[in-house]
Amino acid sequence: MQSLRKTTTWMIPSGMRIARMSAGEAGSGAGKGGGGGGSIREAGGSFGKMEVAHEEEYFYKQRQEQLAKLKKQVINQADFHAESIKHHEEAIARHKKAIDELKK
């Protein structure tokens, strides 16, 4: 039997924290909450806002994939443990039968 223990790493982009904590709207230009994210975001305007939207969509999809993997891992672990219980119960039954036979 193989172990199903794995670690999950959650990625939180630092730019998202900065954009949410600053006073300006993300993607509205340097110094207004959207600066420091590259030349398009520093320029501001509709391209900066579109870039922010693309980034947020990317990280949303990434979180959804991570959640799906986590759910699958939990289900696999539950199946593994249920199978282990079944094998242990079978082994207990065999041992009880062997003990009963030895007592005769």
Side-chain angles (χ1 to χ4, degrees):
M1 291 187 183
Q2 87 185 42
S3 173
L4 295 175
R5 256 184 102 164
K6 294 180 183 178
T7 57
T8 303
T9 304
W10 295 93
M11 297 175 57
I12 300 172
S14 60
M16 286 181 68
R17 282 183 271 150
I18 292 170
R20 289 192 177 140
M21 287 192 277
S22 57
E25 184 179 326
S28 60
K32 299 178 185 172
S39 60
I40 292 176
R41 287 182 70 177
E42 287 176 7
S46 61
F47 283 115
K49 291 177 185 176
M50 184 175 61
E51 181 65 23
V52 169
H54 286 183
E55 288 176 11
E56 288 179 0
E57 178 183 9
Y58 170 79
F59 290 113
Y60 174 80
K61 286 181 180 179
Q62 197 172 41
R63 281 192 303 272
Q64 297 300 2
E65 288 174 9
Q66 289 173 341
L67 285 172
K69 287 179 185 177
L70 183 62
K71 287 177 185 178
K72 184 177 179 181
Q73 180 182 355
V74 168
I75 290 170
N76 287 342
Q77 286 179 350
D79 291 343
F80 170 78
H81 290 298
E83 191 69 24
S84 294
I85 289 169
K86 179 182 168 188
H87 288 295
H88 289 301
E89 287 173 343
E90 290 171 356
I92 290 170
R94 279 194 317 273
H95 291 297
K96 284 183 179 180
K97 184 178 177 183
I99 290 171
D100 290 341
E101 299 237 351
L102 288 173
K103 287 182 180 178
K104 290 182 182 180

